Amino acid sequence: MEWTIGWWRVSLQRVYPTVSQLSQTYDKASFQWHEHLRLLGYCHAYRKLWQSLKDANVLPHWQDNLKICDCGIGTAAFSLAFAQTIDPKTQITGVDISPQMLKIAHQKLSQTNISHQIYQRDVRSLPFADECFDGVISAHVLEHLPNPEQGLKEIVRVLRPGAPLIIAVTQPKFIGRLIQWHWGNSCFSQKELSELMYEVGLINLKFFPFPVGLTRLTSFVGIGFKN
């Protein structure tokens, strides 16, 4: 944004946190993160979301030995809901920049006997071979990337052909803007997310609101399949 006031031109430009700054921020928040998600209804909403997607028959008919990557796994709330609702035998591979978040994710997944591996990495540089996952899931990570298209391209790289990306993002409504002010993230409209997903080679795009709770007011989900 830019304004001209008299003889002065004033501009306002968003400054994104560095990876180190973002990691430190989420390290500090990690100890109460999962409990806050539970109290705000996110954990319940995640389970309801996966159940609604399953009932709507929009997910693939996956075979055994399912391998799913959770990009920005946090404390594993999204992954836990996926495994508990879709397939408890899923092999979850979690990636996050916050070591403290990953520590709690490991604890949560271990307590529920979900097979998993975790990696402290930036989603823009995933330590995996091309086309190695049956699906990628991601909740509220794209908003933190200064170049979202770069992050999506890297995610699509590790998807097998025909495999889906299921991604939850913050939408630009009132509560979403409050979240943005506090955490410094972006917000996405359905049109903006659709254009990004299409540009990185995802097809058969579908968009869904969260079925219940506060999450319905803050977020929505996009699904696309690797061409």
Side-chain angles (χ1 to χ4, degrees), residues 13 41 52 68 135 139 141 187 199 209 213 226:
Q13 184 176 3
S52 68
I68 296 292
V141 172
C187 294
E199 286 171 5
K226 184 171 182 176

Side-chain angles (χ1 to χ4, degrees), residues 19-20 22-24 27 70 72-73 93-103 117-123 125-128:
V19 172
S20 177
L22 202 58
S23 175
Q24 290 173 12
D27 275 350
D70 188 341
I73 191 171
T93 300
V95 178
D96 206 284
I97 59 171
S98 165
Q100 289 300 325
M101 288 282 192
L102 287 171
K103 182 178 179 180
Q117 296 177 311
I118 55 174
Y119 296 83
Q120 185 186 351
R121 291 292 291 267
D122 190 323
V123 299
S125 179
L126 297 173
F128 312 120

Side-chain angles (χ1 to χ4, degrees), residues 4 7 37 46 50 75 83-84 86 89 99 112 124 135 147 152 155-157 159 170 177 188 196 200 202 220:
T4 300
W7 301 107
L37 290 180
Y46 288 164
W50 290 119
T75 57
Q84 291 166 348
I86 305 299
K89 295 182 180 179
T112 49
R124 293 169 295 181
N147 187 337
L152 278 181
I155 288 171
V156 170
R157 179 184 69 79
L159 276 173
T170 305
R177 292 300 188 192
F188 291 96
L196 275 172
V200 299
L202 295 169
F220 69 96

Side-chain angles (χ1 to χ4, degrees), residues 45-80:
Y46 288 164
R47 290 192 296 271
K48 286 290 187 181
L49 170 73
W50 290 119
Q51 187 62 54
S52 68
L53 296 180
K54 183 178 180 180
D55 293 343
N57 201 32
V58 296
L59 299 176
H61 297 289
W62 280 305
Q63 304 298 316
D64 293 337
N65 302 315
L66 179 60
K67 295 181 179 179
I68 296 292
C69 182
D70 188 341
C71 287
I73 191 171
T75 57
F78 208 43
S79 284
L80 283 166

Side-chain angles (χ1 to χ4, degrees), residues 159-214:
L159 276 173
R160 290 179 177 145
L165 165 66
I166 302 103
I167 185 165
V169 297
T170 305
Q171 55 188 339
K173 294 185 178 181
F174 177 70
I175 300 179
R177 292 300 188 192
L178 293 179
I179 294 171
Q180 181 183 33
W181 179 262
H182 180 73
W183 292 102
N185 57 280
S186 299
C187 294
F188 291 96
S189 67
Q190 182 175 311
K191 181 177 183 294
E192 290 169 331
L193 183 60
S194 175
E195 289 173 351
L196 275 172
M197 294 175 76
Y198 181 77
E199 286 171 5
V200 299
L202 295 169
I203 60 172
N204 300 329
L205 306 184
K206 295 181 176 66
F207 300 91
F208 298 88
F210 276 85
V212 295
L214 178 65

